[in-house]
Amino acid sequence: MKNYTADGAVGYSPFPPIADYGFLSDCETTALVAPSGNVEWMCLPRMDSPSVFGALLDRDAGSFRLGPADVSVPAARRYLPGTMVLETSWGTRGGWVIVRDVLLIGPWHHENERSTTHRRSPTDYDADHVLLRLVRCVNGEAQLNLDCEPVFDYGRKFAEWEYSGPGYHDALARAEGCDVNLQLTTDMNLGIEGPRATARTLMHEGDTVFAALSWSEHRAPQSYDEAYERLVWTAHHWQHWLDHGEFPDHPWRTFLQRSALTLKGLSYAPTGALVAAATTSLPETPGGQRNWDYRYTWMRDATFMLWGLYTLGFDWEANDFFYFVMDVAEAEEGQLQVMYGIDGRARLDEETLDHLSGYEAAKPVRVGNSAYNQEQHDVWGAVLDSVYLHTKSRDHLPDRIWPIMVKQVEDALQHWSEPDRGIWEVRGEPKHFTSSKLMCWVAMDRGYRLAEIREDAERAERWHAAADEIKDDICTNAIDDRGVFTQHYETDALDASVLLMPLVRFMAPDDERIRTTVLAIADELTQDGLVLRYRTEATDDGMAGEEGTFTICSFWLVSALVEIGELTRARELCERLLSFASALQLYAEEIDPRSGRHLGNFPQAFTHLALINAVMHVVRADEQTVESEFERQLKQVRHSG
């Protein structure tokens, strides 16, 4: 297939473009499905576990294809509207077939025993731990192939298959030293060829086939009819979930809905955590070394996650995520770090998997993330802002939370004047990053507001004074001769993270310094109109090579442009960014503005959160413009009357 090499030229690659993958989730694990019908990324039993299908990072690291024998490029792909059910349509020489893929969700399972993983309140539904694939021949005839070759432990342990039923419809795959066993159930006749389970059948118009891969005690479907019923249950579950949201009647509504579904799919239901992305080590630079494991929860996502969920009306999910953050803070006795595992674990030791080739030879492949032990001072502001948002939405701050928040504010007060590694987790020397100072100001500002709610006058007064001190320090040291806020003290370099200033209400958006900064970033920190995090040549990030434009930063620019009154420019940029969405309305971390190619881990929660923020900024500004115009016309009519 065609793909783009590091220099932007078109060339052959055995790896599909990142944006071409379909995303599946049951809110405990995730899967990525290539256009060929190949499941090329799946970690079990949960999204941060070792992969069993890892062809995304090495073509020999495991895959599961179900599709026509003689065609690898589908005619069309889509999600069933309002769901996480992926539908792929195939046109062959002899006929047409449709494949539907889904990670099943069913009724709550733990009626007679308690779950060992769930920490949030039980709901009416639960993951079934089944990857289901349904096929229907809708016209003519077509040869169908099934090829399931898991390789456990990130491609290090080949599967050993054996039949597990009386005929040829059930097979079990296991590997020595691995806790996960895979049960494959299908109405096709299975054959075992070493580490592979295979099947093929000739389908005629009206024929149906199912294949179910399961990995727990939960029963997989045993027939096509049962499989279809459980797919419908899951589809209705997603549609009912989406119905609880509040979406504007606007042409961009579908982008908001798909972003909401994607964020829900990136959440880990047992704890309420949100992973930054479903993958590890998809490169930010083609063939480069900026490859990180994003299957963890970043504290800085907290504010944006809660803002997005509350904005769209998903209060239950916001509540679950809030209490995941609070569980972590309580367990750490206030000593919060940058990120955590989805189970709340603190150690995320990083290692490289040198036996894997990497996506399009981008090495190293990493699992774990050593940034967990970096000092990043934005964490306090992110947590305090999330608590403030939660308190405003509930008009209540639980007593057990207040001592934890006091510790966060006091830590920010103690350390705000020290250098750190900033929001982008640079691996160079610590600096006095402006965004870190900004988020320490947020910690003080939200802290004193919460103290006022708690009627804690002494702390409110002291923290308010500290917020003013930090603001003065930023305005003294982080502004260049043009009146532009810079990346860190003692530099003229720009950084997209300062776009957060108007969004967190550091200054009024009509302040000339804010306006000048936003426009400077729009004009000078962009490549073909899309925003870079920073210029790599002006930033000691400890890494070699270039990187693409960060999509979250471009969406931040949309929101910031709306804030300073540049609505036309904001709308045009938002329209352009939405045009870069994948065919399934998904986003990776970065976009190459020349080719439109997506780069980095996929799908990226932070990007979809920023999309929600940006789109709602534009939609609300448009609504206010319409209302103002209506009021103007009404006054004119009254005056003329």
Side-chain angles (χ1 to χ4, degrees), residues 377 379-381 384 405-418 436-437 439-445 447-448 458-471:
H377 295 168
V379 63
W380 301 302
L384 263 297
M405 293 304 98
V406 170
K407 180 68 166 60
Q408 301 309 307
V409 183
E410 292 295 343
D411 280 354
L413 182 58
Q414 180 180 351
H415 297 289
W416 74 265
S417 61
E418 301 169 2
S436 297
K437 309 294 186 189
M439 295 309 291
C440 287
W441 172 86
V442 170
M444 295 298 115
D445 180 80
Y448 99 75
E458 186 276 329
R459 287 194 174 103
E461 182 178 359
R462 183 160 54 87
W463 293 345
H464 195 179
D468 290 340
E469 181 185 0
I470 297 173
K471 177 177 283 190

Side-chain angles (χ1 to χ4, degrees), residues 205-266:
E205 183 174 335
D207 286 350
T208 58
V209 163
F210 86 97
L213 190 72
S214 57
W215 53 90
S216 77
E217 73 281 6
H218 303 322
R219 180 177 175 274
Q222 302 298 302
S223 67
Y224 180 87
D225 288 343
E226 182 188 354
Y228 180 76
E229 288 178 2
R230 291 174 67 173
L231 180 145
V232 170
W233 198 102
T234 302
H236 287 171
H237 158 75
W238 285 112
Q239 290 170 336
H240 292 324
W241 179 83
L242 199 62
D243 285 344
H244 292 296
E246 299 172 1
F247 301 95
D249 186 14
H250 189 277
W252 295 344
R253 176 187 179 99
T254 58
F255 290 95
L256 293 171
Q257 291 176 326
R258 181 51 53 190
S259 289
L261 286 163
T262 302
L263 292 172
K264 178 65 172 175
L266 290 170

Side-chain angles (χ1 to χ4, degrees), residues 2-43:
K2 288 183 179 180
N3 213 334
Y4 290 88
T5 60
D7 60 2
V10 177
Y12 173 79
S13 170
F15 294 86
I18 291 170
D20 284 1
Y21 283 96
F23 171 60
L24 305 178
S25 174
D26 61 8
C27 298
E28 289 193 22
T29 193
T30 61
L32 295 186
V33 186
S36 64
N38 207 17
V39 178
E40 298 191 355
W41 183 250
M42 190 172 180
C43 300

Side-chain angles (χ1 to χ4, degrees), residues 411-546:
D411 280 354
L413 182 58
Q414 180 180 351
H415 297 289
W416 74 265
S417 61
E418 301 169 2
D420 74 335
R421 298 186 186 274
I423 188 173
W424 306 126
E425 298 164 4
V426 299
R427 301 195 176 193
E429 289 299 314
K431 303 286 185 183
H432 291 281
F433 285 101
T434 303
S435 62
S436 297
K437 309 294 186 189
L438 169 69
M439 295 309 291
C440 287
W441 172 86
V442 170
M444 295 298 115
D445 180 80
R446 285 14 171 210
Y448 99 75
R449 295 176 190 275
L450 289 169
E452 287 184 333
I453 294 172
R454 298 277 305 184
E455 297 183 348
D456 190 335
E458 186 276 329
R459 287 194 174 103
E461 182 178 359
R462 183 160 54 87
W463 293 345
H464 195 179
D468 290 340
E469 181 185 0
I470 297 173
K471 177 177 283 190
D472 290 343
D473 192 76
I474 293 172
C475 293
T476 300
N477 296 293
I479 297 181
D480 66 13
D481 294 339
R482 300 182 299 167
V484 172
F485 286 102
T486 58
Q487 180 184 62
H488 59 78
Y489 295 179
E490 300 177 350
T491 185
D492 292 332
L494 296 176
D495 193 301
S497 62
V498 300
L499 290 170
L500 294 173
M501 283 183 164
L503 305 186
V504 300
R505 302 296 183 255
F506 178 70
M507 287 179 170
D510 58 358
D511 188 291
E512 189 60 31
R513 291 165 292 184
I514 294 293
R515 179 177 178 81
T516 302
T517 300
V518 171
L519 294 178
I521 290 173
D523 296 335
E524 301 170 26
L525 195 61
T526 53
Q527 181 178 335
D528 296 324
L530 301 187
V531 183
L532 299 162
R533 292 191 299 178
Y534 47 77
R535 298 284 181 186
T536 54
E537 66 273 14
T539 302
D540 177 21
D541 62 8
M543 304 297 296
E546 298 292 321

Side-chain angles (χ1 to χ4, degrees), residues 72-83:
S72 60
V73 179
R77 299 168 85 212
R78 65 162 187 158
Y79 285 108
L80 297 187
T83 78

